[in-house]
Amino acid sequence: RFETCWPALMKDSHGVIIIFNPELPSHLKEIEMWYSCFVQQQPLLDSQCLLVAHHKPGSAGDMENLSLAYPLNKLKLIHSNLEEDPEDVRMEFIKYFRSIITIMNESREREEMSIIS
């Protein structure tokens, strides 16, 4: 119902983080739509997208055997459970943000070189 706002959300974005509950089958379908709209249609590189399978505290979800459909299975996927491994999640976010900053810097340098040339 908020699709009319999506262009404003996407404008000048450099990355997309999609957080979903892997225990809800509807979420697995919805992330395909989010990926299509926010990554493929921009277009962003797959390396600019991070999938976060968030497991609620006390859930018995299988963190190892989550199978995602193509093209989602090419993306970086982390599992989060803030009760068990908050530091691991934080480190993965830091790595992701560093990669986005690197992509932005490289893009800016290419743009500056094209102006100079």
Side-chain angles (χ1 to χ4, degrees):
R1 66 182 183 211
F2 296 109
E3 285 184 44
T4 56
C5 299
W6 290 0
L9 294 172
M10 292 186 277
K11 184 174 176 5
D12 298 329
S13 65
H14 297 282
V16 174
I17 298 173
I18 301 173
I19 302 171
F20 65 99
N21 182 342
E23 296 167 24
L24 296 177
S26 63
H27 278 202
L28 298 178
K29 275 302 198 195
E30 287 177 28
I31 61 175
E32 292 178 26
M33 183 260 316
W34 290 104
Y35 174 78
S36 174
C37 292
F38 283 85
V39 179
Q40 290 180 318
Q41 291 179 22
Q42 288 242 45
L44 293 176
L45 301 171
D46 285 344
S47 60
Q48 291 171 276
C49 183
L50 176 64
L51 293 179
V52 179
H54 183 68
H55 301 270
K56 292 183 178 181
S59 68
D62 187 357
M63 294 179 122
E64 300 301 321
N65 296 316
L66 178 62
S67 61
L68 298 172
Y70 180 84
L72 299 174
N73 61 357
K74 303 182 308 178
L75 304 175
K76 171 74 174 170
L77 169 67
I78 64 170
H79 292 270
S80 70
N81 181 326
L82 299 180
E83 280 188 340
E84 294 177 17
D85 60 358
E87 187 60 25
D88 289 346
V89 173
R90 188 175 80 80
M91 293 308 295
E92 289 295 337
F93 273 105
I94 288 171
K95 281 195 273 186
Y96 170 72
F97 287 123
R98 283 184 180 154
S99 72
I100 295 298
I101 290 168
T102 300
I103 289 169
M104 290 171 58
N105 287 338
E106 289 171 353
S107 175
R108 187 182 67 236
E109 287 173 9
R110 279 193 304 276
E111 186 177 330
E112 289 171 356
M113 291 306 291
S114 70
I115 292 170
I116 292 171
S117 302

